[in-house]
Amino acid sequence: MTTYILRRLIEAVFVLLILTCLVFFCMRLVPGDPIFLYMDSTDVNMLTPEKIAALKHELGLDQPLIVQYGRWLANAVRGDLGMSLFYSDRVSKMIAERLPVTIHLGIFAFILSSVVGIVLGIVAAVRRGRWLDTVATLAANLFITIPMFWLGILLILALGLYAGILPISGYTSPFEDFWLSTKQLIMPVLCLAVGSMGSNARLTRTSMLEVIHQDYIRTAWSKGLKEKSIISKHALKNSLIPVVTVLGLHIRIIFGGAVLIETVFSIPGMGSLMVDATFNKDYTLVQGGVMVVAIIVILSNLIVDISYGWLDPRVRYD
Amino acid sequence: MQQAGVGSEEISDVKPKISEWQRFRRVFLGRKVVLFGLIVLLFYILVAIFANLLAPYDPYQIDLPNLLASPSFVHPLGTDTLGRDILSRLIFGIRPTLMVGALTMLIAAIGGTTLGLLAGYFGGMVQTLIMRFIDALMGFPMILLALVIAAALGGGLRNIIIALGIAMIAGFARVMCGQTLSIKQNDYVLAGRSLGYRGRRLMWRHIVPNAFPPLIVLATMNIGVVILMEAGLSFLGIGIQAPAAAWGSMVSEGYGFLLQSPLLSVAPGLAIMLLVFSLNMLGDGLRDALDPKLRGAL
């Protein structure tokens, strides 16, 4: 087990290296000299070429790319992600402010999509061929096709503007005003969860149908057990294995969705920060954000993978 | 009844009850939703081809006195923020959407299949290197990756296709690598090898054709994902550039005018949903028809 975790962590380091390298060189393809982002447009006219060169030297922008990357990496390992070119603020500080917001949204979206998706799948499988199955399957198929930003707009229109029950944008910390925070969270969480909910439901249904036809389920029936106990004790745990395998994937999808949903609902989280950073060509911020998002996705995937062992004792970590 | 031990020619004359193609057709078109998906997709393709004839107005025709008009007989879906006819823009919007979907899939499929094939065929160090790179792509939100690449390349239709294509490579590489590893073990590959065929011929003639079914299913399923991501990027404002009509940017345009003109946002979203739904149903149908494990069960 320890060797497994260790090996995965070493792999994760490689993945992070490749990813940051990719983004680093990709962002340097951006046309235009990043030095001009660092200064106000008024400054540019006053600055002499000598001063620009000095500033470049100070920021290390006159070094070869590979040296710049090495320097960035060395600092990043020490927790220093550099200065944002656009906001002239520490990248690590900006991310520390925004990240909890996205995690707050993401955790609720993850729980909602897993629980509701799995329940929907079980209901569909148990009532296979009946109207409940038809409704649940159709719902799951619609959930995976709905563009989440568009769902956000529909919800804003229906619940926010017409009915006026929920606030249409913004974010409040739950420690500040719990009730307002919860109300503001409902629509974005729903939007983030809906796609994963649909695919969890589809997968659970398929997997449950496979398990239901196994011999040990027939044995359970012939022992005279109640349907409820057969489903919850015998079928569910086994049919959840393939579902849990892909739960880690949904963390990635939810984080990606935050890019859109935080823009729709004007939520100051990682997603909207990344959108702003890309539009501003603020590549120190993009670079730092990419690394932090990747670390979170990789670590949460590791946790999901370790939890297999609990569901399926046959899994050996080697 | 055939007798055991008759000549092998006679035995090979026994035709299966139905041909492969008939079986495929029966399973594929046997479900109503799949047929529905096929019809909707054909409808979209036809509308895209004949957009010039079908659209009641020029999608770029600005009509400032008539901006944000409500639906009427003149403008069935109303007009947008510049007075352009929403229905016409919706019709013309199919073209970039289908193009992005198809071309992105092509890039991702060719790139991913090649990488997966090389990784699975050579194994060892090559496999480790390629698959770690794929893991890096998989360990990151696709839309964020596409956003960063598209921003670096500078937006626009061509760059969106490249960005999404790169972001989608990972899935194909994974599937192809697994397929190659298992197909490599088959006797016909060994036979090819003992006939003296080397690398390229073995890979493209013996392995790739046999790995096709899961790749086709993956491609069909993923076109929907690509179309959703393209819409998302256009919604953020980095996709297809104005004044071209893109559904994602139409949704975003209507966002500021939800109360005056809800249709401006609602209609393109519905168009996206219907298309993606149909593609997914087609993908499901293809999977059921092509997956050998399901053979006989359906």
Side-chain angles (χ1 to χ4, degrees):
Chain A
M1 185 76 171
T2 328
T3 18
Y4 172 77
I5 296 177
L6 230 112
R7 208 194 69 212
R8 285 286 302 263
L9 285 177
I10 295 172
E11 276 179 18
V13 172
F14 275 108
V15 169
L16 280 178
L17 271 178
I18 297 174
L19 205 59
T20 49
C21 212
L22 193 75
V23 172
F24 189 87
F25 290 105
C26 215
M27 282 311 279
R28 298 305 161 107
L29 289 175
V30 177
D33 197 324
I35 195 74
F36 294 112
L37 288 167
Y38 197 68
M39 312 172 291
D40 277 2
S41 47
T42 43
D43 290 352
V44 177
N45 303 325
M46 291 182 349
L47 277 177
T48 56
E50 291 79 31
K51 275 193 182 158
I52 289 177
L55 193 57
K56 267 192 169 179
H57 184 71
E58 194 190 312
L59 290 168
L61 289 170
D62 55 346
Q63 303 277 340
L65 273 186
I66 190 85
V67 176
Q68 287 187 36
Y69 177 70
R71 188 179 287 174
W72 178 84
L73 200 62
N75 287 329
V77 174
R78 293 186 215 114
D80 174 14
L81 295 172
M83 297 289 284
S84 152
L85 290 177
F86 193 79
Y87 297 101
S88 310
D89 203 348
R90 301 215 71 77
V91 169
S92 46
K93 185 179 149 242
M94 295 176 75
I95 290 177
E97 279 166 10
R98 300 289 199 105
L99 191 59
V101 177
T102 303
I103 292 182
H104 185 197
L105 282 172
I107 286 181
F108 281 111
F110 184 72
I111 296 173
L112 183 72
S113 67
S114 312
V115 173
V116 178
I118 289 169
V119 169
L120 214 58
I122 296 171
V123 168
V126 173
R127 296 278 171 267
R128 187 187 185 178
R130 318 262 187 83
W131 67 269
L132 210 53
D133 177 24
T134 316
V135 173
T137 311
L138 184 70
N141 280 327
L142 288 179
F143 287 169
I144 58 168
T145 39
I146 196 161
M148 58 167 93
F149 60 94
W150 183 67
L151 177 66
I153 284 175
L154 285 190
L155 289 176
I156 286 175
L157 192 63
L159 301 178
L161 296 175
Y162 287 153
I165 9 179
L166 291 173
I168 58 168
S169 69
Y171 174 83
T172 317
S173 161
F175 303 110
E176 239 171 70
D177 182 344
F178 184 75
W179 180 231
L180 179 64
S181 166
T182 312
K183 282 211 294 188
Q184 282 177 333
L185 221 57
I186 295 176
M187 291 198 286
V189 165
L190 209 60
C191 295
L192 280 180
V194 80
S196 301
M197 202 187 282
S199 65
N200 280 334
R202 275 165 53 111
L203 195 57
T204 310
R205 179 180 181 272
T206 317
S207 154
M208 191 83 175
L209 284 178
E210 250 166 51
V211 170
I212 279 178
H213 291 117
Q214 299 287 324
D215 287 343
Y216 57 83
I217 300 292
R218 197 177 325 151
T219 312
W221 278 111
S222 51
K223 281 199 303 191
L225 293 180
K226 296 250 158 48
E227 183 186 29
K228 207 170 148 194
S229 123
I230 294 175
I231 298 299
S232 63
K233 291 218 181 101
H234 298 252
L236 185 59
K237 229 180 158 187
N238 284 300
S239 61
L240 279 187
I241 295 164
V243 182
V244 173
T245 318
V246 295
L247 277 188
L249 202 75
H250 295 303
I251 297 168
R252 178 172 80 125
I253 293 171
I254 287 171
F255 248 97
V259 169
L260 294 166
I261 291 307
E262 287 176 6
T263 308
V264 173
F265 290 97
S266 330
I267 295 169
M270 269 313 272
S272 50
L273 183 71
M274 292 300 283
V275 174
D276 290 344
T278 357
F279 277 109
N280 294 332
K281 307 208 155 101
D282 187 345
Y283 55 77
T284 42
L285 191 51
V286 171
Q287 182 82 0
V290 164
M291 176 141 120
V292 170
V293 170
I295 289 177
I296 289 173
V297 173
I298 291 170
L299 284 186
S300 39
N301 270 318
L302 184 58
I303 295 172
V304 169
D305 286 356
I306 291 171
S307 71
Y308 292 162
W310 172 75
L311 269 175
D312 187 358
R314 288 170 300 186
V315 173
R316 290 280 163 271
Y317 295 103
D318 47 25
Chain B
M1 277 286 273
Q2 291 278 339
Q3 294 262 311
V6 247
S8 56
E9 284 164 44
E10 282 172 65
I11 289 178
S12 66
D13 278 345
V14 181
K15 292 214 173 74
K17 266 182 268 165
I18 52 169
S19 74
E20 247 334 77
W21 171 240
Q22 277 173 319
R23 194 198 58 81
F24 173 81
R25 232 175 26 192
R26 196 154 84 184
V27 179
F28 184 60
L29 298 178
R31 284 169 56 199
K32 281 189 202 106
V33 273
V34 179
L35 203 62
F36 170 81
L38 196 64
I39 292 169
V40 172
L41 183 64
L42 285 177
F43 171 75
Y44 270 77
I45 293 175
L46 285 177
V47 173
I49 294 173
F50 297 109
N52 298 22
L53 301 173
L54 290 168
Y57 294 90
D58 175 358
Y60 306 114
Q61 181 65 51
I62 293 173
D63 180 12
L64 289 176
N66 256 327
L67 52 88
L68 292 175
S70 308
S72 61
F73 285 112
V74 194
H75 295 286
L77 293 177
T79 58
D80 72 359
T81 49
L82 293 173
R84 296 171 296 196
D85 182 53
I86 295 179
L87 181 63
S88 306
R89 289 182 71 71
L90 211 56
I91 288 174
F92 272 89
I94 301 180
R95 284 180 177 179
T97 306
L98 289 180
M99 198 154 99
V100 170
L103 288 181
T104 300
M105 248 333 90
L106 207 64
I107 293 179
I110 293 175
T113 308
T114 312
L115 283 177
L117 182 65
L118 291 174
Y121 184 81
F122 290 109
M125 201 54 202
V126 181
Q127 187 185 352
T128 312
L129 270 176
I130 294 180
M131 292 323 280
R132 279 302 92 83
F133 173 71
I134 296 302
D135 286 346
L137 289 182
M138 285 291 245
F140 200 67
M142 263 189 291
I143 187 155
L144 201 47
L145 189 65
L147 179 72
V148 171
I149 299 175
L153 296 173
L157 186 63
R158 192 195 54 172
N159 292 339
I160 283 294
I161 292 173
I162 297 174
L164 287 173
I166 295 174
M168 300 292 296
I169 275 181
F172 284 96
R174 278 249 170 112
V175 170
M176 190 60 201
C177 181
Q179 285 283 313
T180 310
L181 284 174
S182 92
I183 291 173
K184 206 163 72 162
Q185 308 296 330
N186 284 337
D187 286 342
Y188 55 81
V189 177
L190 186 68
R193 202 185 288 271
S194 53
L195 280 171
Y197 299 148
R198 297 262 161 262
R200 211 182 299 166
R201 173 157 183 165
L202 222 47
M203 281 193 256
W204 292 107
R205 286 277 186 81
H206 292 76
I207 296 175
V208 172
N210 287 296
F212 249 35
L215 292 175
I216 291 174
V217 174
L218 189 68
T220 324
M221 297 282 209
N222 274 347
I223 292 184
V225 176
V226 168
I227 289 175
L228 285 177
M229 283 207 293
E230 183 273 317
L233 290 178
S234 306
F235 176 77
L236 291 176
I238 202 157
I240 298 148
Q241 303 296 306
W247 291 341
S249 43
M250 287 172 76
V251 173
S252 140
E253 195 188 335
Y255 183 33
F257 306 92
L258 281 180
L259 280 178
Q260 295 99 306
S261 173
L263 265 182
L264 182 50
S265 277
V266 174
L270 275 178
I272 298 170
M273 221 178 132
L274 185 62
L275 177 59
V276 177
F277 182 81
S278 309
L279 284 165
N280 282 350
M281 292 301 109
L282 277 182
D284 277 1
L286 275 177
R287 187 197 53 208
D288 292 347
L290 290 174
D291 188 349
K293 272 190 291 182
L294 293 171
R295 222 162 261 191
L298 291 158

